[in-house]
């Protein structure tokens, strides 16, 4: 029985690629140095999977930024502003598209389906000339082959690539990107021919958009694409891989009828309904790559349950046509549990990171082949039983409190207009108030202080003194810049979710459980294993300390319950909504303590609310109902004069704007600049928004410093669709990933642009 892995983490077990990328970007190392680190990581991954017994090992899943940007490079689909003149696309052009440069901004970045991974959105139009401009796929195949590993090259499918793209600036927004399919397919044919010539016998096309609710003409595009490719694919085994949700019945019919396709990959973890479709009919002679091992969470697989599913599928598909696989790429999990030397042994026994999931996949394949490892299965069953019966998982008081929330709407007593009037009387802010999103640059010295405190190399007193000094510097800088509503810069936090999880019950933490978010950006999601509560205050001391340093309003900074949920590895033994309500109650306690301490502006970030939206429309209303409700629970008890902010970034918000309004925040700051100000279209289309709103005026994920005139122009576009009295001015997101040499001039220009517009408004221009 064969086994398959959809994809694998790229950063390395200890973020080796992250550090290599940042060294290269800082001009401290060469391109050759970066390529050497990447090659060593790829070699280790391929050898690991081969030694574990995996038959179908992926290649070309490695990326220096993301796989969609890799595809853009492969197709030569470079926007003209980057000055690419042809030839093989190198690092300069590649990273300029992803990060921007001193002259031009980066391309838009958004979430990869409903994950916390991001991709760079292709910008296309009728005049785009596609050309085979990156030979990465065939080069990596050859690289693996030279190591003695025959791999399955993986490509983002041509239809998914186009469906994830957008019309470039200046192109009619109604332009049908699927009309570009013949031009795109022409390049794919060249790539396939290259791979065949290099000796590839299998090729994998990732087409995850097949799990979406697609109109008939979009489904037809898949048939057209693979019909066009069929003659070129002749002689190859072709796998079309889907993931992240169940496949709609009409899409399943399209998928299983694609010409020239040998195998179909499905997610049977998040796509339970797909199992029914398969049992109802599967094409004879085709392979099924059954994704029964969860690629998005870190809980050990229920091997016995998975084996039952696989045995049932054997009767439908045939023993020789069933392949055991992961539900999706393991990119979304941590790398290896072996590196977790400090994790509680009991909890550790409940987990499986990417390396362990590879072993699980092969164990299931061997069991199907009649070579079941009884000891491994027995150990797995014992771990599952331990987790189910552990007293540390359940807190009856927390469960009762969460259950009592049902049936209540949890809204503040007065409407937002009345509250804003009360808040203005207290805060006395100028028109177009300026603020930042929360974090300031995390310097090497600051990271050293936190690291030494965790290692008990410095005392708590020394740590507190150092953090207070950092806060003082950040406060003074903001006052010098003349920012209106200040933040303390979050110097005590390495990560916005991890920080809160460390102080809440029901969470566990890793040392090296890093997961790539985009480029070199990595996060270390906490593990929610049990019921959640707040044993003590989490932020009050630091917020009060910062407020004592200034007369200007100081924001209390919290992460909202939905974002904590979506950016964690969440327990899978109860509904996510139940866990979210528990977190909401914990944050509610903190909000009320901040208010008692004199903090009059409190920001509750919900950066990931849109990210968690189910991919299928039928499930979206239920999610939005409990997600928005959870946010309202956190601040239902505060006074009218306490101003509640929230923040959202790097997702498509227009389709949930009414749910955003229903959150009933006083002010929302929201990403806008990198996405070509798509957010503003909602207001141009007539949506009325009465609360304060701060669409980001510049992109913080790029090192580029926006000029004052550019920011002022962006603000004027906002004022064309938003009332002056509700508009706030702020960057797109937090500043922790930037350097002070970038932040200081960018914020200087932001404040200067604001004063320029204020003067224009005052003079009636």
């Amino acid at each position: 029985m064969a086994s398959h892995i959809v994809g694998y983490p790229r950063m390395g077990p200890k973020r080796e690629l992250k550090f290599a990328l940042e060294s290269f970007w800082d001009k401290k190392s060469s391109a050759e140095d970066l390529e050497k680190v990447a090659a060593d990581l790829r070699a280790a991954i391929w050898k690991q999977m081969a030694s574990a017994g995996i038959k179908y090992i992926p290649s070309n899943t490695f990326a220096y930024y993301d796989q969609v940007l890799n595809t853009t490079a492969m197709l030569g689909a470079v926007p003209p502003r980057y000055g690419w003149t042809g030839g093989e696309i190198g690092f300069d052009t590649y990273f300029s598209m992803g990060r921007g440069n001193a002259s031009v901004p980066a391309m838009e970045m958004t979430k990869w389906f409903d994950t916390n991974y991001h991709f760079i959105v292709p910008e296309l139009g009728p005049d785009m000339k596609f050309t085979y401009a990156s030979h990465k796929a065939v080069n990596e195949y050859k690289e693996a082959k030279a190591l003695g590993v025959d791999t399955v090259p993986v490509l983002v499918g041509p239809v998914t690539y186009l469906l994830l793209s957008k019309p470039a600036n200046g192109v009619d927004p109604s332009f049908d990107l699927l009309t570009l399919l013949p031009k795109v397919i022409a390049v794919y044919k060249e790539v396939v021919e290259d791979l065949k010539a290099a000796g590839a016998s299998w090729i994998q096309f990732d087409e995850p958009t097949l799990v979406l609710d697609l109109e008939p003409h979009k489904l037809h595009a898949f048939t057209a694409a693979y019909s066009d490719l069929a003659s070129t694919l002749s002689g190859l085994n072709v796998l079309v891989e889907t993931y992240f949700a169940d496949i709609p019945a009409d899409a399943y019919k399209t998928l299983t009828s694609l010409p020239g396709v040998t195998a179909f990959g499905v997610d049977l973890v998040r796509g339970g309904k797909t199992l029914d479709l398969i049992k109802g009919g599967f094409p004879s002679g085709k392979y099924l790559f059954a994704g029964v091992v969860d690629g998005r969470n870190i809980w050990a697989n229920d091997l016995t349950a998975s084996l039952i599913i696989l045995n049932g599928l054997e009767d439908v598909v045939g023993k020789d046509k069933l392949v055991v696989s992961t539900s999706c790429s393991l990119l979304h999990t941590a790398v290896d549990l072996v590196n977790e030397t400090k994790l509680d042994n009991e909890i550790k026994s409940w987990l499986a990171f990417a390396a362990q999931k590879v072993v699980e996949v092969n164990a299931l394949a061997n069991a199907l082949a009649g070579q079941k490892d009884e000891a491994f299965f027995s150990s797995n069953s014992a771990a599952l039983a331990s987790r189910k019966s552990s007293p540390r998982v359940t807190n009856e008081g927390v469960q009762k409190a969460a259950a009592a929330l049902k049936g209540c709407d949890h809204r503040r007593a007065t409407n937002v207009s009345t509250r804003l009037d009360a808040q203005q009387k207290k805060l006395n802010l100028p028109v177009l108030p300026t603020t930042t999103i929360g974090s300031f640059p995390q310097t090497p010295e600051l990271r050293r202080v936190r690291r030494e405190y965790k290692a008990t190399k410095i005392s708590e007193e020394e740590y507190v003194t150092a953090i207070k000094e950092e806060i003082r510097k950040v406060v003074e800088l903001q006052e010098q810049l003349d920012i209106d509503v200040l933040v303390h810069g979050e110097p005590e936090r390495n990560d916005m979710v991890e920080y809160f999880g460390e102080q809440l019950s029901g969470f566990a933490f890793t040392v090296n459980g890093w997961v790539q978010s985009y480029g070199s950006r990595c996060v270390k999601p906490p593990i929610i294993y049990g019921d959640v509560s707040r044993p003590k205050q989490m932020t009050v001391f630091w917020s009060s300390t910062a407020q004592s340093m200034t007369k200007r309003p100081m924001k209390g900074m919290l992460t909202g319950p939905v974002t904590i949920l979506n950016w964690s590895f969440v327990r899978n033994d109860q509904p996510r909504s139940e866990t979210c309500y528990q977190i909401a109650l914990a944050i509610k306690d903190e909000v009320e303590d901040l208010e008692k301490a004199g903090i009059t502006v409190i920001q509750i970030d919900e950066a990931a609310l849109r990210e968690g939206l189910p991919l299928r429309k039928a499930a979206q209303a239920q999610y939005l109902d409990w997600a928005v409700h959870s946010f309202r629970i956190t601040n239902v008890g505060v006074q009218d004069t306490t101003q509640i902010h929230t923040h959202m970034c790097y997702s498509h918000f227009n389709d949930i704007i009414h749910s955003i309004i229903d959150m009933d925040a006083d002010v929302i700051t929201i990403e806008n600049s990198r996405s070509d100000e798509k957010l503003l279209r909602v207001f141009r289309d007539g949506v009325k928004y009465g609360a304060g709103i701060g669409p980001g005026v510049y992109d913080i994920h790029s090192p580029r410093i926006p000029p004052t005139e550019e920011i002022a122009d962006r603000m004027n576009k906002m004022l064309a669709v938003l009332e002056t009295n509700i508009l706030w001015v702020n960057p797109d997101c937090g500043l922790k990933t930037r350097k002070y040499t970038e932040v200081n001039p960018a914020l200087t220009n932001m404040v200067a642009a604001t004063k320029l517009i204020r003067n224009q408004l005052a003079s009636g221009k």
Side-chain angles (χ1 to χ4, degrees):
M1 188 61 59
S3 51
H4 166 252
I5 305 297
V6 177
Y8 203 80
R10 308 158 182 155
M11 283 288 113
K14 295 187 178 179
R15 297 182 293 165
E16 291 87 345
L17 183 61
K18 167 189 172 66
F19 300 121
L21 281 167
E22 291 173 354
S23 177
F24 174 70
W25 291 337
D26 290 341
K27 301 189 182 339
K28 294 178 180 177
S29 61
S30 66
E32 291 75 18
D33 295 329
L34 175 57
E35 289 167 341
K36 173 69 165 55
V37 170
D40 288 347
L41 288 171
R42 289 193 295 268
I45 291 167
W46 291 327
K47 290 177 180 177
Q48 174 195 352
M49 283 193 263
S51 65
I54 301 299
K55 179 175 181 180
Y56 299 111
I57 297 171
S59 62
N60 197 42
T61 59
F62 182 87
Y64 289 107
Y65 217 84
D66 76 76
Q67 69 270 28
V68 179
L69 185 58
N70 285 358
T71 309
T72 294
M74 181 186 83
L75 296 169
V78 182
R81 66 180 178 275
Y82 297 106
W84 177 66
T85 56
E88 189 81 2
I89 289 177
F91 282 152
D92 282 352
T93 300
Y94 181 88
F95 287 127
S96 290
M97 289 191 288
R99 305 178 72 237
N101 58 43
S103 304
V104 292
M107 295 164 69
E108 179 183 352
M109 181 170 69
T110 196
K111 298 289 175 73
W112 176 246
F113 293 83
D114 58 346
T115 76
N116 189 29
Y117 183 68
H118 300 67
F119 71 95
I120 301 299
V121 181
E123 302 173 10
L124 307 177
D127 297 328
M128 176 62 72
K129 291 181 171 44
F130 297 96
T131 180
Y132 188 8
S134 170
H135 293 68
K136 177 180 174 297
V138 70
N139 290 342
E140 285 190 17
Y141 175 79
K142 291 176 179 177
E143 186 182 318
K145 196 171 183 180
L147 296 169
V149 182
D150 189 29
T151 60
V152 179
V154 179
L155 301 174
V156 173
V159 183
T160 287
Y161 178 79
L162 289 175
L163 291 178
L164 295 179
S165 301
K166 69 175 186 179
N169 279 340
V171 174
D172 187 335
S174 65
F175 173 67
D176 184 0
L177 294 162
L178 290 175
T179 60
L180 299 173
L181 194 56
K183 296 179 181 179
V184 167
I185 291 293
V187 178
Y188 272 85
K189 287 178 178 178
E190 292 185 69
V191 178
V192 170
E193 292 288 6
D194 246 7
L195 289 168
K196 286 169 69 173
S201 58
W202 278 84
I203 188 168
Q204 174 179 323
F205 292 98
D206 280 6
E207 295 280 15
T209 51
L210 276 165
V211 307
L212 304 178
D213 297 302
L214 298 179
E215 300 95 326
H217 80 280
K218 292 180 180 177
L219 287 176
H220 177 71
F222 289 93
T223 303
Y226 288 89
S227 296
D228 197 354
L229 280 168
S231 61
T232 308
L233 293 171
S234 178
L236 281 172
N237 289 297
V238 178
L239 165 64
V240 173
E241 184 68 52
T242 68
Y243 37 78
F244 295 154
D246 57 85
I247 306 173
D250 52 355
Y252 177 78
K253 184 177 180 180
T254 297
L255 170 67
T256 53
S257 303
L258 291 177
V261 175
T262 317
F264 312 103
V266 296
D267 182 339
L268 295 179
V269 176
R270 292 185 172 228
K273 293 180 182 177
T274 304
L275 189 61
D276 296 331
L277 292 173
I278 294 167
K279 290 178 178 178
F282 190 79
S284 176
K286 302 290 187 179
Y287 289 85
L288 175 66
F289 282 58
V292 293
V293 173
D294 194 350
R296 288 186 58 173
N297 215 328
I298 42 66
W299 302 108
N301 185 268
D302 186 337
L303 296 177
T304 300
S306 293
L307 193 55
I308 290 170
I309 292 171
L310 292 166
N311 281 324
L313 287 170
E314 275 189 330
D315 298 335
V316 178
V317 178
K319 196 175 185 72
D320 62 331
K321 297 297 183 183
L322 183 62
V323 179
V324 183
S325 184
T326 53
S327 65
C328 62
S329 173
L330 297 177
L331 171 71
H332 309 288
T333 66
V335 178
D336 195 341
L337 202 52
V338 161
N339 297 315
E340 299 308 322
T341 55
K342 296 183 180 180
L343 195 60
D344 178 287
N345 284 334
E346 182 184 31
I347 293 176
K348 193 172 181 179
S349 73
W350 304 342
L351 307 178
F353 289 0
Q356 288 69 48
K357 290 177 185 292
V358 169
V359 174
E360 289 179 338
V361 166
N362 207 54
L364 287 166
N366 288 339
L368 275 176
Q371 301 167 13
K372 184 178 179 182
D373 186 335
E374 295 291 352
F376 188 70
F377 271 69
S378 177
S379 174
N380 173 259
S381 295
L384 294 175
S386 162
R387 181 181 170 207
K388 189 173 183 179
S389 62
S390 175
R392 67 198 300 181
V393 171
T394 305
N395 182 321
E396 189 175 342
V398 170
Q399 291 193 349
K400 285 182 178 178
L405 295 171
K406 296 173 182 175
C408 181
D409 204 26
H410 293 95
R411 292 182 185 273
R412 293 170 75 178
T414 53
N415 64 42
V416 68
S417 177
T418 301
R419 299 197 307 264
L420 288 174
D421 287 344
Q423 292 156 14
Q424 179 59 17
K425 288 176 183 176
K426 186 167 187 175
L427 298 173
N428 193 29
L429 298 173
V431 66
L432 307 178
T434 55
T435 190
T436 63
I437 303 306
S439 60
F440 265 66
Q442 301 263 315
T443 62
E445 173 63 17
L446 182 55
R447 294 182 189 277
R448 181 192 64 78
V449 168
R450 284 201 307 264
R451 189 168 56 247
E452 290 185 354
Y453 177 59
K454 281 197 170 185
T456 65
K457 292 182 179 179
I458 61 174
S459 68
E460 183 173 3
E461 183 180 358
E462 290 173 309
Y463 170 74
V464 170
T465 299
I467 296 299
K468 281 184 175 180
E469 177 59 21
E470 184 68 20
I471 292 173
R472 185 189 61 77
K473 291 178 183 177
V474 170
V475 170
E476 288 181 355
L477 172 61
Q478 291 172 92
E479 289 187 326
Q480 290 167 9
L481 292 168
D482 203 17
I483 290 173
D484 301 306
V485 176
L486 311 189
V487 298
H488 76 290
E490 304 176 8
E492 79 283 15
R493 309 176 194 182
N494 178 62
D495 176 86
M496 62 188 284
V497 173
E498 184 181 9
Y499 174 80
F500 289 98
E502 285 177 339
Q503 301 181 78
L504 295 169
S505 64
F507 283 74
F509 296 88
T510 64
V511 175
N512 289 298
W514 297 99
V515 177
Q516 185 183 22
S517 182
Y518 61 87
S520 69
R521 170 81 170 133
C522 296
V523 294
K524 194 165 48 162
I527 299 165
I528 305 177
Y529 68 84
D531 291 332
V532 178
S533 62
R534 185 195 73 145
K536 60 182 181 180
Q537 294 179 347
M538 301 181 287
T539 65
V540 176
F541 172 77
W542 296 118
S543 294
S544 300
T545 298
Q547 184 63 81
S548 71
M549 297 176 179
T550 181
K551 293 181 179 179
R552 301 187 185 207
M554 174 64 62
K555 285 198 279 191
M557 299 300 305
L558 304 174
T559 303
V562 185
T563 295
I564 290 177
L565 182 88
N566 286 334
W567 286 357
S568 298
F569 290 126
V570 183
R571 57 189 295 190
N572 58 359
D573 59 346
Q574 71 176 15
R576 290 171 69 88
S577 57
E578 298 295 325
T579 303
C580 198
Y581 284 140
Q582 293 177 3
I583 303 169
L585 286 172
I587 300 301
K588 179 178 184 289
D589 291 343
E590 187 71 13
V591 168
E592 291 172 3
D593 281 349
L594 281 167
E595 184 182 57
K596 290 173 187 174
I599 303 301
T600 55
V601 181
I602 302 172
Q603 182 169 308
I604 308 167
D605 285 346
E606 284 296 12
L609 188 141
R610 173 60 175 79
E611 172 187 312
L613 189 71
L615 299 177
R616 303 293 301 283
K617 292 176 183 175
Q620 291 176 358
Q622 183 183 27
Y623 165 79
L624 289 169
D625 180 64
W626 61 255
V628 170
H629 186 193
S630 295
F631 176 82
R632 290 201 306 263
I633 288 167
T634 65
N635 60 86
V636 67
V638 300
Q639 301 172 30
D640 285 359
T641 51
T642 297
Q643 190 167 83
I644 298 296
H645 289 223
T646 191
H647 170 68
M648 296 181 176
C649 58
Y650 299 103
S651 288
H652 297 296
F653 301 109
N654 294 21
D655 55 347
I656 65 163
I657 190 66
H658 293 289
S659 294
I660 292 173
I661 294 170
D662 198 39
M663 292 170 71
D664 200 28
D666 296 311
V667 178
I668 180 170
T669 52
I670 194 164
E671 181 270 327
N672 172 68
S673 63
R674 187 159 181 172
S675 59
D676 296 330
E677 301 162 350
K678 282 188 292 191
L679 174 70
L680 300 186
R681 295 176 199 163
V682 168
F683 305 111
R684 293 191 194 104
D685 292 341
V687 171
K688 299 299 181 184
Y689 192 77
I693 183 167
V697 296
Y698 78 90
D699 173 26
I700 64 88
H701 288 292
S702 169
R704 177 176 175 269
I705 298 164
T708 299
E709 297 75 17
E710 179 182 305
I711 295 174
D713 179 62
R714 188 161 276 140
M715 291 172 63
N716 277 321
K717 290 178 182 177
M718 296 172 188
L719 287 168
V721 293
L722 293 167
E723 297 294 331
T724 305
N725 63 334
I726 66 169
L727 184 62
W728 284 64
V729 182
N730 46 264
D732 264 349
C733 203
L735 304 170
K736 65 186 290 185
T737 60
R738 301 267 56 90
K739 300 172 183 175
Y740 274 105
T741 52
E742 299 159 344
V743 166
N744 290 8
L747 290 180
T748 297
N749 292 351
M750 183 186 83
V751 173
T754 304
K755 291 180 177 179
L756 178 66
I757 301 299
R758 283 174 184 164
N759 289 336
Q760 290 178 1
L761 292 171
S763 63
K765 292 183 180 179

